[in-house]
Amino acid sequence: MSIRISWSALRTHEECKQKSHLARTHSLAVLDNKRNFFPGTVTDRVVRNWLNNDPLDHLGEMPDMVDAYIESEQRELAEKDQGVIRWRNKADREAVKVDCIEAVTKIEPDLLKYVVPFEYQPDFGFQTKIQLTHPRGEEGTVVLNGFMDILVKDDRGRYWVWDVKHTRDDGYWRKTIGQLGFYDLVVELEFGQPAIQTGLMQPLCTKTLAPYKPSADSRAQLLTRINAMAMDLWNDVRTPKESMGGCDFCPCKHACTKFKPVVDSKGRKRVKL
């Protein structure tokens, strides 16, 4: 009766229940070219491993780590058959390297101020259980799962959540409010208190920090959304969304019932719309 809900799964379910079902049953088409997400992956890995290896003994060394992580992350994608990096042109790899070096150089002062002086855990994985009422009336277990880029416990016992974002869009933080709220809820459930602060570390933006403090109302709304998804999963609701918005680029389109051909009375195949 236990089900699992991550932030990305919740967003997908609210976008389209059919897509949500297909993603859970591993019917996603493999996104071959990982180029667009690659700089963020490299920056995340460099920051994570620097924090995990006595950062005060390795001040200023993150830029020198970038080239090796570009190679290792590209190799890992190939070895795990998770896609490839198709560079946009001959100069693209070098441009990504320069971009990542700028990001990890600019993020170090914020890490030294808001993370390193305290207890912290990079890439904090969680499997947080909550009990919700099952459609049959009994209690069902919902596991909220995922990873936080950096979880910090300060010298006053308060929790901070930082998410590292490789972006130059000063307004990008608005798209992350739900994700940060999800992390805040998990902190409250795990440690008995909400996060004193969540936010982005966005070293390539005009403001390198984008703080966000979720409210009690936003936590209640999030729990309502989680409960709605849990009820859909328990009831096996998997209907595709009515609109066609985004369907052309959906990685589940090949398996979606909306696009499954049917044979009409004259033996002709038609797509159901």
Side-chain angles (χ1 to χ4, degrees):
M1 197 179 297
S2 174
I3 58 175
R4 298 166 64 84
I5 297 178
S6 66
W7 169 246
S8 60
L10 179 61
R11 286 189 62 194
T12 299
H13 187 79
E14 291 176 337
E15 175 192 351
C16 175
K17 294 177 175 61
Q18 173 80 180
K19 182 178 180 180
S20 173
H21 165 71
L22 294 172
R24 290 194 307 277
T25 55
H26 308 290
S27 298
L28 287 163
V30 176
L31 179 60
D32 188 39
N33 186 10
K34 306 289 187 178
R35 164 60 182 83
N36 289 343
F37 306 101
F38 194 63
T41 299
V42 172
T43 297
D44 284 347
R45 297 295 185 270
V46 171
V47 168
R48 180 187 68 186
N49 286 281
W50 183 77
L51 288 172
N52 276 329
N53 289 282
D54 302 315
L56 293 178
D57 293 334
H58 300 281
L59 297 176
E61 294 185 12
M62 279 194 286
D64 295 332
M65 299 163 62
V66 167
D67 201 48
Y69 275 94
I70 289 176
E71 290 298 322
S72 64
E73 291 302 316
Q74 192 170 0
R75 184 168 58 251
E76 184 174 334
L77 282 174
E79 290 174 352
K80 293 183 177 180
D81 197 26
Q82 294 178 339
V84 297
I85 306 299
R86 292 197 181 94
W87 302 113
R88 296 169 180 170
N89 51 54
K90 291 182 179 179
D92 191 33
R93 185 194 184 282
E94 184 63 21
V96 168
K97 175 182 174 181
V98 170
D99 213 35
C100 290
I101 287 175
E102 180 184 356
V104 299
T105 300
K106 289 182 174 179
I107 202 173
E108 185 169 311
D110 286 333
L111 294 171
L112 290 173
K113 183 175 181 179
Y114 296 103
V115 178
V116 174
F118 310 110
E119 295 180 43
Y120 63 85
Q121 178 61 58
D123 210 27
F124 175 76
F126 55 88
Q127 307 274 340
T128 304
K129 294 181 180 180
I130 58 175
Q131 299 300 122
L132 297 175
T133 303
H134 190 277
R136 292 199 297 262
E138 58 206 73
E139 282 197 336
T141 300
V142 176
V143 180
L144 305 181
N145 65 290
F147 290 87
M148 303 178 196
D149 283 351
I150 309 171
L151 178 66
V152 177
K153 184 180 181 182
D154 68 18
D155 50 6
R156 296 169 60 184
R158 304 175 304 179
Y159 291 92
W160 302 63
V161 179
W162 294 109
D163 202 48
V164 178
K165 294 297 185 186
H166 186 108
T167 179
R168 295 185 185 274
D169 180 359
D170 286 336
Y172 185 79
W173 65 271
R174 295 183 180 88
K175 303 176 183 178
T176 70
I177 287 175
Q179 181 182 16
L180 294 173
F182 189 86
Y183 294 157
D184 168 76
L185 176 63
V186 167
V187 169
E188 182 174 29
L189 294 170
E190 285 281 349
F191 305 110
Q193 57 177 301
I196 188 67
Q197 185 73 70
T198 69
L200 304 186
M201 287 192 174
Q202 44 182 22
L204 299 179
C205 290
T206 304
K207 293 183 178 180
T208 60
L209 297 179
Y212 172 65
K213 177 68 174 175
S215 66
D217 284 346
S218 68
R219 289 184 205 103
Q221 291 169 12
L222 179 57
L223 277 171
T224 298
R225 294 166 64 188
I226 290 169
N227 185 73
M229 178 174 175
M231 292 296 287
D232 281 345
L233 297 190
W234 281 322
N235 287 319
D236 197 27
V237 177
R238 57 178 77 172
T239 51
K241 65 180 182 180
E242 292 184 5
S243 79
M244 298 292 288
C247 290
D248 285 347
F249 305 101
C250 178
C252 299
K253 182 178 178 180
H254 66 288
C256 180
T257 57
K258 184 189 289 189
F259 299 96
K260 185 177 180 180
V262 295
V263 179
D264 64 17
S265 59
K266 296 182 179 180
R268 297 173 298 189
K269 287 187 176 180
R270 294 288 186 269
V271 174
K272 293 187 294 184
L273 297 176

